[in-house]
Amino acid sequence: MSLPNCPKCNSEYVYEDGLMLVCPECAYEWNPSDSVEEGDGLVVLDSNGTRLADGDSVTIVKNLKVKGAPKDLKQGTRVKNIRLVEGDHNIDCKIDGFGAMKLKSEFVKKL
Ligand SMILES: [Zn+2]
């Protein structure tokens, strides 16, 4: 049986501690049965470890370079109506002046 990657930092070095799973890299602990009960299995956490959901609004917590864009995405930029997706960049969204793009949840904070 293989353990899931850490939902917060995506580390592969997660280990079991009783009922909890523990990430040695960011010290995040969680109960794997929590997400199973909610059904969809897609757990996306923001930079504070708050769980995000489709339709949430977030702010960007650091300046981000955007491939192909003439300017950086500035810290504090608000992003409305996000959509969670599988993968490394796990937030689908539209940002004024940038258009449709994907973000990593670790670079945002829920409003
Ligand atoms: Zn981690």
Side-chain angles (χ1 to χ4, degrees), residues 6 8-11 23 25-28:
C6 173
K8 200 168 176 185
C9 71
N10 207 32
S11 165
C23 172
E25 294 196 51
C26 70
Y28 184 63

Side-chain angles (χ1 to χ4, degrees), residues 47 58-64 73-79 93 95 101 103-104 107-109 111:
S47 56
V58 298
T59 54
I60 309 289
V61 297
K62 61 174 280 192
N63 291 348
L64 298 173
L73 199 50
K74 285 270 184 292
Q75 179 181 0
T77 302
R78 288 188 175 211
V79 185
C93 59
I95 300 176
M101 61 182 303
L103 296 171
K104 292 188 180 191
F107 297 137
V108 306
K109 188 174 64 154
L111 285 174

Side-chain angles (χ1 to χ4, degrees), residues 52 82-83 85 89-93 101-103 105 108:
L52 299 172
I82 62 169
R83 204 167 63 83
V85 293
H89 289 66
N90 45 11
I91 295 175
D92 242 353
C93 59
M101 61 182 303
K102 289 190 168 190
L103 296 171
S105 60
V108 306

Side-chain angles (χ1 to χ4, degrees), residues 28-91:
Y28 184 63
E29 294 182 25
W30 73 103
N31 184 337
S33 63
D34 281 353
S35 54
V36 173
E37 282 164 15
E38 294 196 35
D40 61 6
L42 186 60
V43 178
V44 175
L45 303 175
D46 74 1
S47 56
N48 291 327
T50 304
R51 188 161 179 188
L52 299 172
D54 285 349
D56 277 352
S57 295
V58 298
T59 54
I60 309 289
V61 297
K62 61 174 280 192
N63 291 348
L64 298 173
K65 289 231 182 301
V66 181
K67 244 191 208 166
K71 55 188 175 171
D72 286 359
L73 199 50
K74 285 270 184 292
Q75 179 181 0
T77 302
R78 288 188 175 211
V79 185
K80 282 188 226 163
N81 198 19
I82 62 169
R83 204 167 63 83
L84 305 182
V85 293
E86 302 265 7
D88 181 34
H89 289 66
N90 45 11
I91 295 175

